[in-house]
Amino acid sequence: MVSQPTTSSGPQFECETGNYHTFCPISCVAWLYQKIEDSFFLVIGTKTCGYFLQNAMGVMIFAEPRYAMAELEEGDVNAKLNAYDELQRLCLQVKKDRNPSVIVWIGTCTTEIIKMDLEGIAPKLEDEIGIPIVVARANGLDYAFTQGEDTVLAAMASRCPAPQEVRSEEEKKERTGGLRTLFSHGKKDEKKAGPAPSEYVDHQPLVLFGSLTDPVVNQLTLELKKQGIRVSGWLPAPRYTELPIVEQGVTYVAGVNPFLSRTASALQRRMRCNLITTPFPIGPDGTRGWIEAICQALGVIPKGLDEREQQIWDALRDDVEFLKGRSVFFMGDNLLEVSMARFLIRCGMIVHEVGIPYMDKRYQQAELELLDRTCRELGHPPVRIVEKPDNYNQIQRIYACKPDLVITGMAHANPLEARGITTKWSVEFTFAMIHGFTNAHDMLKMVRKPLDRNNALKSLGWEKLIQEV
Amino acid sequence: MKLAYWMYAGPAHIGTLRIATSFKNVHAIMHAPLGDDYFNVMRSMLERERDFTPVTASVVDRKVLGRGSQDKVVTNIVRKDQEEAPDLIVLTPTCTSSILQEDLQNFVARAQEQSKADVLLADVNHYRYNEFTAADRTLTQIVSYYIEKLAGNLPARSEKPTANILGISTLGFHNHHDCRELKQLLADLGVEVNVVAPEGCSVHDIQKMPSAWFNVVPYRELGRGAAEYLQRQTGQPLIDITPMGILQTARFIRAVQQILNTQGARVEYEEYIRSQTLFVSQAAWFSRSIDCQNLQGKRAVVYGDLTHAAAMTRILAREMGVRVVWAGTFCKYDAEWFKAEVADLCDEVLISDDHAEVGDRIAAAEPAAIFGTQMERHIGKRLNIPCGVISSPIHIQNFPVGYRPFLGYEGTNQIADLVYNSFTLGMEDHLLEVFGGHDTKEVITKTMTAQSDLEWDEAATRELAKIPGFVRSKVKRNTEKFARESGRDKITLEVMYAAKEAAGA
């Protein structure tokens, strides 16, 4: 599999016009309200925001979601109405109907433009109604898609309590219950399932950040447990009242997703945490790098990782065999692109271009290093990373390089398919479980699926389905 | 501020974009922040559009906020002009640009100097118009722009009777099928279709519009503005009867007959109406058949846009003998028209765009069937009342590939099926309840658990419960097989994940 290593000079960075399609960052409410069970998300914006949410979230809107629009009317925009009074009225309504443990205000483009002082209003209103109000400015002026989660978690980071603030034993247990579903029930299971608590190595407290579905949280927590590392909490926790304890100057933090750079810096600067720079646990290579970096930072010697990684690669043999030599083009819209590209190059794929909305080279440093190393080891030419891409130009490049697969948003997928170019919707990777050793196969299955399907239809000769003018 | 969970009509720019992208070779440029181009996703997904949606954004970001768009909008227009060579570029304001109050008209004037394409600013204020009113306004604006270019040199009327169809657009409810059916109907009447707009229409075709004898406006929401404009400019009469249902289709045909005869043709359509009604369309026979007898006096509620809710109410009440408990619309801006249309056909009229109120009213009415939008379909699911979808807002399943017009004589057949299926399903459901429901589910589950000799711990059981129903038993089987093979008698989360990894191979 390893060909002649080339002298790689690291990834090539470019920046285009920023004219690309992506989801508005307010979309983060869709998965965060489900993740944080006792929250209520109030998006303060216009009909445009509401229309996006109700269409993008499809059927979820019908399940009585714990989110709503505070729809701005003309009187709000020209300041005929007082923002404080209006928000007070709406939040009291929310309190009455749902009684959440936290209300998250999502600031939008409009609140930015009319300079509504959400950060100023929130603390006063919070005192008045007795429910914490967290303000996140997840707007399309500044951010793309998954960065919405980043703004919410960055705002929530400062709500993590210090150890002296948590007095009762019960609350302490709740807030350190990263494995709530594992440990809070059936103590006896634990003995058989893994090492007893005493078998944890003595290390500084570790808090992980990034919203993942509960099964993936459990999987990654168990993976670290095998190294004797105890996860003392997750940001976000399943409930707002269970936000992890953060001890200034002591707690170590590590991210699980590449789009969390503001959260990382909020934890580092405001909460004085020690940030562990890691590659992200996507693919067996990334997961291994992630665990190694955490072990190293906490002074733990990793054990059995070689075997563990190899065991997953063995299980992936068929997929890797299939994908080897095929090429892929990332148009870029969710910031997972670099980690995914790195994993796919390790699988033997050729990456033409990695479009990405925003590149934080400091936060993604370890990931970029792993990408570079992967390229060297597999003899892949330096990867072209295009920040703020221009979709029109990208499509011209796609026509020129004819990739086997384009990973793109839904605006371009059907038109590209009609032109005989195989595509995979990028959004699926955001919502599917792709992290850790356990889910590596699922991610490759998603990458394979369009290729398998189009192979299955190949004999029909219906590749191009547009009429040439 | 208003607490809102759901809206029936989209924001104004959606209406403008629906018009711009329905035309051939017209490009829309939105003055909007990143992420507001969600319209492209909807068009690409719902309509399964093969071509790239001709909408790009001139992105409003922090820099624009600080210094204004300056040359950015102009540059983007000129760039699109060179890349795609469109006939017309429509600069589309959004809620954001409404507040920024930049002089977009000035940008348009500057861009026009450097572009081959015509450049227009869509005259729609986000806070004053919704999707429907903005769409109507934009169509009128584009039509009048090109008619005015003729400077009074209007083309002569065609020799033979011809008509324009105004209001067919992308993302419209069953619009493509309706258009095909309308063309067929007019062809049957000896009327040739001159121009269809905006769908598939080139802006050059607009200048041919005045040669038609009259204009057809099938939908109340879209096309009236343009048809009324043409009436003023060229004296073309318009027909605004929606040919939906047998009675309204006949009225529509008689209106065509009257217009043609006034303009010197001699046509007589009564025999055509008779034969279509009695023998081609099945709907008249359907309402006479004993199946439909069962529908007599059944209670229904109707809710949707103006066109479909009004027409459906008429069909149910007059053609099928169904009792419409209430009929409603979310188009508050045209409430008087709606009330006048349905006044004698239902017990009560509901004018509201609050889905919670609509839901409460449905729950209170306890109808045997609902005819509404996707929202009412979901309300129906919750209340266990069947629902036929008759109006936007809609999902991908409301863009069927098969031929499903709501208008014309084939439309009457489709509607008969829709109504009948909604009610019989309700009956079936009811009978199932009387006889205690399907009884197979329990048995299958029992067999599954009885075979298992393995113990699942609490965490694993909960995890299993989270897996979607349709794959749960497969996951359960695989995990147990894995546990047996690896000699474990208890299934924990770790065993589950290990099984998943092993199954991956």
Side-chain angles (χ1 to χ4, degrees):
Chain A
M1 190 148 105
V2 181
S3 56
Q4 207 61 22
T6 48
T7 40
S8 155
S9 51
Q12 316 276 301
F13 292 98
E14 283 173 48
C15 187
E16 278 191 299
T17 63
N19 212 321
Y20 62 101
H21 166 76
T22 182
F23 273 14
C24 174
I26 60 172
S27 51
C28 68
V29 307
W31 65 88
L32 286 177
Y33 92 79
Q34 294 190 59
K35 173 74 195 177
I36 310 170
E37 294 160 12
D38 54 351
S39 62
F40 190 96
F41 283 77
L42 189 66
V43 182
I44 306 162
T46 62
K47 265 191 192 307
T48 306
C49 314
Y51 194 68
F52 163 70
L53 273 182
Q54 89 180 33
N55 284 297
M57 299 316 134
V59 291
M60 280 198 274
I61 197 88
F62 301 108
E64 294 209 28
R66 288 188 318 281
Y67 69 81
M69 291 294 306
E71 194 186 309
L72 299 166
E73 291 164 298
E74 207 162 6
D76 297 301
V77 171
N78 58 25
K80 276 202 181 111
L81 297 166
N82 180 303
Y84 185 90
D85 296 342
E86 292 296 299
L87 284 167
Q88 181 198 45
R89 184 169 56 80
L90 264 46
C91 288
L92 283 172
Q93 179 79 41
V94 168
K95 184 184 177 182
K96 194 180 121 227
D97 295 348
R98 310 288 177 101
N99 198 26
S101 308
V102 63
I103 299 177
V104 183
W105 286 353
I106 303 289
T108 61
C109 303
T110 310
T111 56
E112 288 296 313
I113 296 168
I114 65 175
K115 299 197 164 48
M116 193 180 277
D117 182 20
L118 297 177
E119 275 98 344
I121 298 173
K124 285 183 219 151
L125 198 54
E126 185 171 300
D127 283 345
E128 206 183 313
I129 67 171
I131 295 178
I133 296 173
V134 171
V135 181
R137 301 192 195 182
N139 63 69
L141 295 166
D142 300 307
Y143 305 109
F145 195 11
T146 49
Q147 287 182 289
E149 174 181 321
D150 192 23
T151 64
V152 173
L153 297 190
M156 238 169 227
S158 54
R159 303 293 181 117
C160 292
Q164 61 273 20
E165 289 174 280
V166 181
R167 294 245 163 71
S168 81
E169 276 307 307
E170 200 173 311
E171 189 182 349
K172 209 170 270 175
K173 215 183 275 169
E174 258 184 11
R175 290 190 187 268
T176 51
L179 275 187
R180 185 173 68 136
T181 50
L182 285 182
F183 298 140
S184 55
H185 309 275
K187 272 262 150 57
K188 55 181 188 307
D189 290 349
E190 207 178 310
K191 279 183 195 132
K192 283 182 193 169
S198 59
E199 286 175 45
Y200 282 116
V201 179
D202 192 22
H203 62 78
Q204 301 285 70
L206 170 70
V207 167
L208 299 176
F209 58 94
S211 166
L212 296 174
T213 53
D214 294 348
V216 184
V217 166
N218 292 345
Q219 287 159 8
L220 291 179
T221 310
L222 277 172
E223 216 63 70
L224 290 172
K225 188 177 163 189
K226 284 183 186 149
Q227 303 298 334
I229 292 172
R230 169 171 226 145
V231 178
S232 52
W234 281 77
L235 172 70
R239 298 179 67 81
Y240 177 76
T241 52
E242 294 166 8
L243 278 180
I245 298 167
V246 167
E247 192 175 354
Q248 300 218 343
V250 177
T251 300
Y252 278 73
V253 292
V256 296
N257 264 324
F259 45 77
L260 298 170
S261 55
R262 287 175 67 88
T263 311
S265 69
L267 286 166
Q268 206 177 5
R269 299 210 184 121
R270 229 179 310 150
M271 306 302 285
R272 308 255 166 255
C273 294
N274 306 298
L275 176 68
I276 309 172
T277 308
T278 63
F280 300 100
I282 291 171
D285 49 341
T287 309
R288 183 214 174 116
W290 183 73
I291 295 170
E292 269 175 348
I294 293 172
C295 285
Q296 198 191 3
L298 299 176
V300 175
I301 295 159
K303 49 182 186 268
L305 269 182
D306 270 338
E307 296 77 21
R308 184 84 177 105
E309 190 191 351
Q310 196 49 50
Q311 174 199 348
I312 299 297
W313 282 116
D314 289 345
L316 297 178
R317 201 174 297 132
D318 280 354
D319 299 315
V320 170
E321 201 51 48
F322 176 83
L323 292 173
K324 205 157 92 185
R326 293 178 197 256
S327 64
V328 58
F329 189 112
F330 290 85
M331 285 187 78
D333 70 347
N334 60 11
L335 283 93
L336 294 173
E337 292 87 359
V338 172
S339 309
M340 285 175 49
R342 178 259 304 147
F343 175 27
L344 294 183
I345 290 172
R346 179 59 71 183
C347 292
M349 290 188 84
I350 300 148
V351 173
H352 287 292
E353 175 169 330
V354 176
I356 187 167
Y358 169 74
M359 182 75 231
D360 185 330
K361 287 183 196 160
R362 206 150 42 149
Y363 176 62
Q364 293 223 39
Q365 189 193 342
E367 183 62 82
L368 288 169
E369 281 165 9
L370 181 56
L371 172 70
D372 189 33
R373 205 168 70 227
T374 306
C375 287
R376 284 166 197 273
E377 286 175 11
L378 286 154
H380 188 288
V383 172
R384 192 155 169 248
I385 296 179
V386 180
E387 224 184 320
K388 297 172 78 157
D390 185 297
N391 280 167
Y392 181 86
N393 296 342
Q394 283 185 313
I395 286 164
Q396 311 311 310
R397 295 200 287 271
I398 287 170
Y399 290 157
C401 71
K402 299 190 176 61
D404 294 313
L405 182 69
V406 176
I407 296 182
T408 180
M410 290 190 264
H412 296 112
N414 268 338
L416 286 171
E417 288 284 349
R419 284 157 182 78
I421 296 162
T422 305
T423 61
K424 181 73 199 164
W425 300 343
S426 50
V427 179
E428 281 188 43
F429 294 103
T430 323
F431 295 128
M433 299 196 245
I434 59 170
H435 292 74
F437 288 127
T438 313
N439 299 305
H441 175 65
D442 285 7
M443 180 174 147
L444 291 192
K445 222 161 62 184
M446 283 163 66
V447 174
R448 269 190 77 156
K449 197 187 221 173
L451 293 162
D452 281 333
R453 203 271 313 264
N454 288 355
N455 269 349
L457 303 181
K458 206 157 208 159
S459 64
L460 299 172
W462 298 338
E463 303 242 320
K464 272 199 182 162
L465 289 150
I466 47 159
Q467 285 166 337
E468 304 279 345
V469 188
Chain B
M1 275 180 219
K2 203 170 85 181
L3 202 59
Y5 298 88
W6 170 263
M7 66 184 87
Y8 286 100
H13 70 269
I14 297 290
T16 295
L17 296 180
R18 278 178 55 191
I19 298 303
T21 58
S22 293
F23 277 107
K24 250 191 325 208
N25 213 25
V26 170
H27 201 99
I29 294 187
M30 297 168 73
H31 187 238
L34 199 65
D36 273 4
D37 57 353
Y38 188 72
F39 177 81
N40 298 30
V41 174
M42 291 182 58
R43 189 156 178 273
S44 172
M45 294 310 295
L46 298 178
E47 294 263 34
R48 286 182 206 86
E49 188 49 64
R50 300 175 199 218
D51 276 317
F52 293 101
T53 298
V55 174
T56 40
S58 176
V59 178
V60 175
D61 55 16
R62 223 8 103 168
K63 241 183 244 158
V64 170
L65 214 56
R67 321 178 310 161
S69 299
Q70 296 193 347
D71 294 328
K72 198 172 182 182
V73 174
V74 177
T75 313
N76 279 321
I77 295 175
V78 175
R79 180 184 158 187
K80 239 350 112 181
D81 182 54
Q82 287 160 358
E83 283 169 357
E84 312 265 351
D87 296 321
L88 168 69
I89 294 174
V90 179
L91 181 59
T92 309
T94 59
C95 57
T96 307
S97 54
S98 279
I99 323 170
L100 285 177
Q101 299 194 324
E102 288 191 277
D103 190 356
L104 295 179
Q105 193 63 60
N106 174 40
F107 296 159
V108 164
R110 276 169 54 203
Q112 183 66 85
E113 283 169 18
Q114 301 168 57
S115 315
K116 286 207 189 84
D118 297 316
V119 188
L120 273 180
L121 170 65
D123 180 18
V124 287
N125 178 319
H126 172 88
Y127 292 94
R128 310 264 160 87
Y129 298 100
N130 69 14
E131 174 184 349
F132 299 117
T133 49
D136 190 55
R137 203 173 158 83
T138 303
L139 179 60
T140 312
Q141 192 185 357
I142 293 175
V143 167
S144 62
Y145 179 80
Y146 283 97
I147 295 293
E148 263 146 46
K149 272 197 166 187
L150 288 171
N153 296 320
L154 303 178
R157 287 276 194 274
S158 60
E159 241 170 80
K160 286 184 181 157
T162 51
N164 302 317
I165 302 174
L166 301 179
I168 306 292
S169 91
T170 189
L171 292 172
F173 183 72
H174 292 243
N175 272 206
H176 295 284
H177 310 288
D178 283 350
C179 185
R180 189 172 139 195
E181 185 65 21
L182 273 178
K183 282 183 181 166
Q184 181 60 51
L185 178 61
L186 289 169
D188 284 354
L189 303 178
V191 177
E192 212 173 288
V193 173
N194 182 43
V195 177
V196 175
E199 186 62 46
C201 177
S202 148
V203 292
H204 304 303
D205 295 336
I206 292 173
Q207 301 188 330
K208 293 185 216 152
M209 278 183 184
S211 64
W213 288 27
F214 64 100
N215 289 312
V216 173
V217 185
Y219 309 116
R220 175 74 190 174
E221 292 79 9
L222 178 57
R224 283 183 64 79
E228 281 166 3
Y229 169 83
L230 287 167
Q231 190 167 32
R232 284 194 302 276
Q233 295 297 313
T234 75
Q236 275 172 324
L238 68 98
I239 299 178
D240 60 358
I241 299 160
T242 302
M244 184 169 151
I246 294 173
L247 296 174
Q248 289 296 85
T249 304
R251 259 189 77 204
F252 173 88
I253 294 170
R254 291 191 184 107
V256 174
Q257 174 177 302
Q258 203 232 329
I259 284 177
L260 296 192
N261 287 341
T262 324
Q263 297 193 28
R266 274 168 194 240
V267 290
E268 166 58 55
Y269 296 138
E270 286 308 322
E271 179 48 34
Y272 174 78
I273 294 173
R274 204 186 75 87
S275 72
Q276 288 286 322
T277 303
L278 298 185
F279 306 112
V280 178
S281 161
Q282 297 295 316
W285 162 235
F286 169 78
S287 43
R288 188 62 197 260
S289 72
I290 51 163
D291 278 336
C292 205
Q293 211 176 71
N294 275 343
L295 298 185
Q296 174 64 34
K298 277 230 156 45
R299 294 152 48 86
V301 299
V302 180
Y303 183 81
D305 63 14
L306 299 160
T307 305
H308 294 91
M312 200 65 199
T313 304
R314 188 179 302 273
I315 293 167
L316 289 170
R318 298 279 310 278
E319 297 177 19
M320 294 181 181
V322 172
R323 179 166 161 217
V324 179
V325 189
W326 59 258
T329 183
F330 48 83
C331 297
K332 286 159 116 175
Y333 65 93
D334 208 357
E336 293 314 309
W337 178 86
F338 185 78
K339 283 182 197 159
E341 280 291 303
V342 300
D344 305 329
L345 305 168
C346 57
D347 301 352
E348 253 186 289
V349 180
L350 175 67
I351 308 291
S352 170
D353 57 3
D354 175 359
H355 80 277
E357 190 185 357
V358 174
D360 289 346
R361 292 289 297 268
I362 292 173
E366 291 183 72
I370 308 166
F371 297 93
T373 73
Q374 275 293 338
M375 191 53 170
E376 285 65 53
R377 193 172 72 85
H378 282 266
I379 293 170
K381 261 190 190 168
R382 221 180 287 170
L383 298 172
N384 260 324
I385 303 171
C387 177
V389 174
I390 56 150
S391 157
S392 302
I394 38 183
H395 284 171
I396 194 151
Q397 67 262 40
N398 304 113
F399 289 89
V401 188
Y403 187 49
R404 299 257 194 287
F406 270 65
L407 303 187
Y409 285 112
E410 178 54 28
T412 63
N413 291 338
Q414 298 293 334
I415 293 166
D417 280 343
L418 181 76
V419 171
Y420 180 68
N421 289 341
S422 301
F423 279 112
T424 33
L425 287 178
M427 178 67 86
E428 196 182 324
D429 236 26
H430 181 65
L431 287 176
L432 281 173
E433 196 146 296
V434 170
F435 293 111
H438 293 290
D439 57 354
T440 46
K441 231 180 224 167
E442 195 82 2
V443 178
I444 289 170
T445 324
K446 254 180 202 153
T447 327
M448 289 299 306
T449 34
Q451 279 177 347
S452 170
D453 51 344
L454 289 156
E455 192 191 338
W456 287 67
D457 80 357
E458 233 183 298
T461 311
R462 241 174 297 122
E463 181 92 357
L464 184 67
K466 274 187 217 145
I467 292 165
F470 56 95
V471 286
R472 195 180 301 140
S473 60
K474 187 178 161 206
V475 170
K476 188 165 187 251
R477 260 195 321 264
N478 284 345
T479 309
E480 290 181 348
K481 185 167 161 249
F482 173 83
R484 264 186 221 109
E485 281 167 4
S486 54
R488 289 174 228 225
D489 56 355
K490 183 154 197 179
I491 292 166
T492 61
L493 276 182
E494 271 183 315
V495 177
M496 272 185 91
Y497 299 145
K500 186 178 179 214
E501 287 160 18

